[in-house]
Amino acid sequence: MANLRLELPVLQNWSCHNCGGCCRQHLIEVTEAERQRIIGQNWTAADGVDQPVLAWHAGPPWKKRYRLAHRSDGGCVFLDDKGLCRIHAKFGEAAKPLPCRIYPFAFHPSGKSFTVSLRYSCPSVVANLGTPTSKRSNELRRMAEEVIPASAINSPAPLLTPNDRVDWTDLQPFVEALDHTLADPSTPIVVKVVRAIAWTTLIGQASFEKIRGPRIRELIALLMEAARLENPHVPESPEEPSRVGRLYFRTLVAQYARKDTVADLSSGVWGRWRLLRAIVRFTKGSGNIPSLQTGLKEVPFSALEPSFGPIDAEAEEILTRYFRVKTTGMHFFGSAYYDIPFAEGFHSLALMLPVTLWLARWHAVSDGRDRITAADISRGLAMADHHHGYSPALAQYAARRRVRSLVELGDLTRLCYWYSR
Ligand code: SF4
């Protein structure tokens, strides 16, 4: 695509550290051209590949869709013992399927340019390890040219509210204002997220039929100032989330806590039965939390409710960077997030704060601690962001309705404060 302009995240570093996590976690669907290319690579037991390399995973027999096969230990059939890709080692990076080459980057249209965001399911992204993304512009441009269809340059801006769509120029101030709210270095992340929830909620309720151009910036500035005055600091005694709010939160957090690897998705009736039982227990919210992933023990739901102490500076940096990369990368609404409008999309992103903190508490309690560390928050964030924007369950009406109810009841704000104390 000629003259493709990319908006790169300035805060984020990344290089692959060969942990092999993505090659265990993700289902990689291949195109017909990729399937033919892999068949033509003639993999044999002598290469360390002693099973079929592709599996039919969707579509009718006359229009089969294929994915890379996984071994019984959960890893991609091409993942070797050192965490390296056999296709990459033997034929070079370009021979791998496109999703393997793109991960953990994500590209989204933004008018005449494209934003670049990253998936925090990758531990190197969470830890900010490697080359600054701003120094990878040539490589990212090449990737973007492969991923983005030529027609995307003319795509309309996503919805701002359920009833209003402004053009790309008028949408930009909303994204900039979110970044401005989240960037403030002197304010704790929880207060910044709560302020952003407050002013985006008002945006979601407003009508933009007659508000355009400079008046948009004036309106945003007014709403941001009101949100700042209403939420000056962390409350001394945060209010408990309501009973209904807790119920909705637990059903949502269950979606983020589950594991959707190929091995899990292929676990048949027994796997579905285990998941159903787990959802019932999350809905009840009493007794023990069912262990959904390795390293997370069955501990009482009530063990996650006392104060775990404040979020430390390292965790503040991780969470602030996460929210800023997702907002500047437009990775929370429109085509990047189930075609959901701006305000509702931000509320789903804001929910990632209590979800991550709840999962971090679960990690801490599983390790016998009553305080969370930045490492717990990193693990919780990597777990949760694996699903955010990618799990079909989060796009369903019921999940969206619950997020909207959390906002209407004031529970999204309460949950943010409750789990950050
Ligand atoms: S093909 Fe290579 S990069 Fe892709 S999932 Fe398999 S091992 Fe990982």
Side-chain angles (χ1 to χ4, degrees):
M1 205 183 302
N3 303 322
L4 181 67
R5 227 163 33 86
L6 291 182
E7 315 278 347
L8 301 171
V10 286
L11 299 166
Q12 186 68 54
N13 303 334
W14 180 77
S15 298
C16 178
H17 290 78
N18 299 326
C19 71
C22 51
C23 307
R24 289 189 186 87
Q25 286 184 64
H26 295 283
L27 181 155
I28 306 292
E29 181 165 332
V30 292
T31 62
E32 184 52 26
E34 287 167 342
R35 187 174 85 91
Q36 294 301 339
R37 187 168 73 219
I38 289 169
I39 291 170
Q41 289 167 352
N42 289 321
W43 293 95
T44 66
D47 299 303
V49 181
D50 55 2
Q51 65 173 82
V53 292
L54 295 155
W56 171 23
H57 84 110
W62 58 92
K63 210 175 172 187
K64 291 179 181 176
R65 284 162 51 197
Y66 288 89
R67 63 167 171 83
L68 298 180
H70 280 237
R71 297 186 307 256
S72 54
D73 67 0
C76 168
V77 69
F78 293 116
L79 187 65
D80 74 11
D81 298 342
K82 298 190 195 86
L84 300 174
C85 172
R86 289 188 170 94
I87 301 183
H88 193 143
K90 195 167 176 186
F91 296 102
E93 194 191 5
K96 293 195 292 190
L98 185 62
C100 304
R101 286 182 280 138
I102 298 304
Y103 184 87
F105 293 102
F107 302 91
H108 307 117
S110 163
K112 293 288 170 215
S113 59
F114 289 83
T115 61
V116 179
S117 177
L118 289 97
R119 296 187 66 178
Y120 274 60
S121 48
C122 169
S124 296
V125 175
V126 181
N128 208 20
L129 297 175
T131 310
T133 308
S134 53
K135 294 207 170 134
R136 307 180 81 122
S137 54
N138 289 340
E139 177 197 351
L140 287 168
R141 189 166 293 105
R142 277 197 303 277
M143 277 186 203
E145 281 169 357
E146 281 195 74
V147 184
I148 299 167
S151 58
I153 201 81
N154 297 317
S155 60
L159 285 170
L160 178 63
T161 71
N163 303 316
D164 287 305
R165 191 190 300 274
V166 294
D167 63 20
W168 286 109
T169 313
D170 280 346
L171 184 65
Q172 198 55 39
F174 294 94
V175 176
E176 285 170 17
L178 266 186
D179 189 47
H180 185 78
T181 306
L182 295 164
D184 179 358
S186 61
T187 304
I189 183 65
V190 60
V191 177
K192 294 188 280 196
V193 170
V194 165
R195 286 177 185 170
I197 293 169
W199 71 255
T200 52
T201 300
L202 297 171
I203 293 292
Q205 294 162 352
S207 165
F208 286 85
E209 207 184 323
K210 294 196 178 127
I211 307 176
R212 288 290 191 272
R215 289 187 62 205
I216 283 188
R217 285 191 191 272
E218 284 167 27
L219 174 71
I220 296 174
L222 275 175
L223 297 181
M224 281 171 70
E225 181 58 6
R228 190 182 68 77
L229 294 173
E230 237 178 71
N231 303 281
H233 45 66
V234 178
E236 269 177 33
S237 311
E239 209 183 324
E240 272 203 48
S242 72
R243 225 179 134 81
V244 178
R246 280 181 186 281
L247 168 65
Y248 289 163
F249 178 68
R250 283 195 310 273
T251 55
L252 288 162
V253 91
Q255 300 294 346
Y256 287 101
R258 61 190 273 187
K259 214 165 180 200
D260 279 347
T261 63
V262 173
D264 295 293
L265 296 171
S266 315
S267 56
V269 176
W270 170 237
R272 283 200 291 281
W273 166 244
R274 262 189 50 214
L275 191 60
L276 188 67
R277 243 184 25 172
I279 288 171
V280 171
R281 277 162 72 179
F282 268 90
T283 307
K284 277 170 64 184
S286 56
N288 280 353
I289 311 170
S291 170
L292 292 170
Q293 301 213 17
T294 318
L296 286 170
K297 294 190 180 143
E298 296 219 357
V299 302
F301 278 97
S302 57
L304 271 51
E305 297 306 312
S307 166
F308 275 63
I311 297 172
D312 69 17
E314 189 183 345
E316 280 279 340
E317 184 280 323
I318 294 167
L319 291 167
T320 298
R321 176 163 42 82
Y322 171 75
F323 281 104
R324 292 192 66 197
V325 167
K326 294 288 169 175
T327 50
T328 55
M330 296 198 184
H331 205 164
F332 65 100
F333 71 119
S335 60
Y337 197 79
Y338 317 121
D339 282 322
I340 286 176
F342 170 87
E344 186 187 342
F346 180 73
H347 297 153
S348 293
L349 182 64
L351 182 69
M352 285 290 286
L353 181 64
V355 165
T356 298
L357 295 170
W358 191 92
L359 293 172
R361 285 171 174 225
W362 192 2
H363 278 290
V365 174
S366 298
D367 290 352
R369 289 178 281 111
D370 61 3
R371 288 284 177 271
I372 50 171
T373 62
D376 295 322
I377 288 180
S378 296
R379 289 196 283 176
L381 187 55
M383 259 174 91
D385 200 55
H386 172 73
H387 299 278
H388 194 72
Y390 296 91
S391 164
L394 295 169
Q396 285 174 3
Y397 176 80
R400 290 182 60 183
R401 180 66 245 162
R402 282 177 201 132
V403 176
R404 283 199 292 268
S405 297
L406 287 176
V407 177
E408 285 157 17
L409 295 165
D411 276 312
L412 184 54
T413 293
R414 287 190 204 105
L415 287 161
C416 288
Y417 282 135
W418 188 251
Y419 289 115
S420 58
R421 77 202 204 288

